[in-house]
Amino acid sequence: YIRGTEQRARSLTKANAGLFTEIADRHAVENKLRETQRARETLLANLPGLAYRCRNDKDWSMTFISDGVIPLTGFTPADFLTNKVSFGHRVIHADDRERVWSEVQEALDRHRPFKTEYRILTAYGDERLVWEQGRGVYSRAGELLALEGLITDVTDRVHAEENLRREKEFADAIIE
């Protein structure tokens, strides 16, 4: 009887040790996940623009969009994630939509990243110029799953470059 009790106690101790190890491992994984999420949120908050993941459709239906969308467009992430607002039909300027679509499709056909500049219209009706860089996300079988990228406001930079060019032309005209 004593020997059986000792064996059962050893078995329980081994089982408890295994359980404690499993719990410790689970806590370590949870802590690592929390740290990864914190790092991602910090990185996204410090980006000069917005990061996104979207479908390859004419709406550019968003499945993820960072909070950087608010200062850039005046819309919230929820506006895009619930399809209340279409990035492709409401935000991208009507005169730029087909060109942007064609440039992105050409890059996707070649499995290459894309870079493009285009105009957007904000929720307040303001026109901004943005620069976008992105790429397709593919399955192992080569099927396009999504697009991921970054969109940055370049309006001020472009206007400053235009002003410098005009000033240079003016100075050149005076010199001549």
Side-chain angles (χ1 to χ4, degrees):
Y1 173 79
I2 292 176
R3 186 177 291 161
T5 302
E6 288 175 1
Q7 287 175 344
R8 280 192 294 277
R10 273 189 240 123
S11 293
L12 284 175
T13 302
K14 286 180 185 177
N16 286 342
L19 180 60
F20 289 131
T21 301
E22 190 176 311
I23 290 171
D25 290 346
R26 175 184 261 172
H27 283 293
V29 168
E30 288 172 352
N31 287 337
K32 188 171 184 163
L33 178 60
R34 273 193 293 278
E35 176 56 22
T36 299
Q37 288 172 332
R38 185 210 54 79
R40 186 191 74 196
E41 289 169 9
T42 300
L43 176 65
L44 290 174
N46 287 303
L47 285 175
L50 68 93
Y52 69 87
R53 181 179 180 112
C54 70
R55 293 184 186 90
N56 187 35
D57 59 31
K58 293 274 188 157
D59 287 321
W60 304 110
S61 303
M62 299 292 170
T63 58
F64 169 81
I65 192 163
S66 69
D67 288 341
V69 73
I70 299 168
L72 181 61
T73 69
F75 295 108
T76 67
D79 291 332
F80 295 100
L81 297 173
T82 61
N83 295 320
K84 178 180 175 187
V85 175
S86 163
F87 202 89
H89 289 99
R90 169 57 180 88
V91 177
I92 296 177
H93 193 286
D95 294 341
D96 295 344
R97 288 179 194 147
E98 282 306 314
R99 178 184 53 79
V100 171
W101 177 259
S102 295
E103 289 174 7
V104 171
Q105 297 314 302
E106 183 178 326
L108 293 173
D109 288 345
R110 295 180 174 162
H111 287 243
R112 295 201 176 167
F114 57 88
K115 295 177 185 176
T116 186
E117 282 188 5
Y118 54 91
R119 293 166 294 168
I120 63 168
L121 296 174
T122 70
Y124 316 108
D126 300 327
E127 187 176 298
R128 308 293 294 169
L129 184 63
V130 297
W131 175 80
E132 179 176 350
Q133 178 175 326
R135 64 179 51 221
V137 177
Y138 299 90
S139 70
R140 290 182 187 211
E143 174 189 4
L144 180 64
L145 302 174
L147 288 88
E148 293 180 340
L150 172 69
I151 301 173
T152 304
D153 187 347
V154 294
T155 307
D156 294 338
R157 177 187 57 84
V158 169
H159 287 196
E161 289 171 357
E162 288 171 358
N163 287 338
L164 282 173
R165 183 185 47 74
R166 280 195 295 272
E167 288 175 12
K168 183 183 180 311
E169 288 172 356
F170 181 72
D172 290 346
I174 290 174
I175 291 171
E176 287 180 20

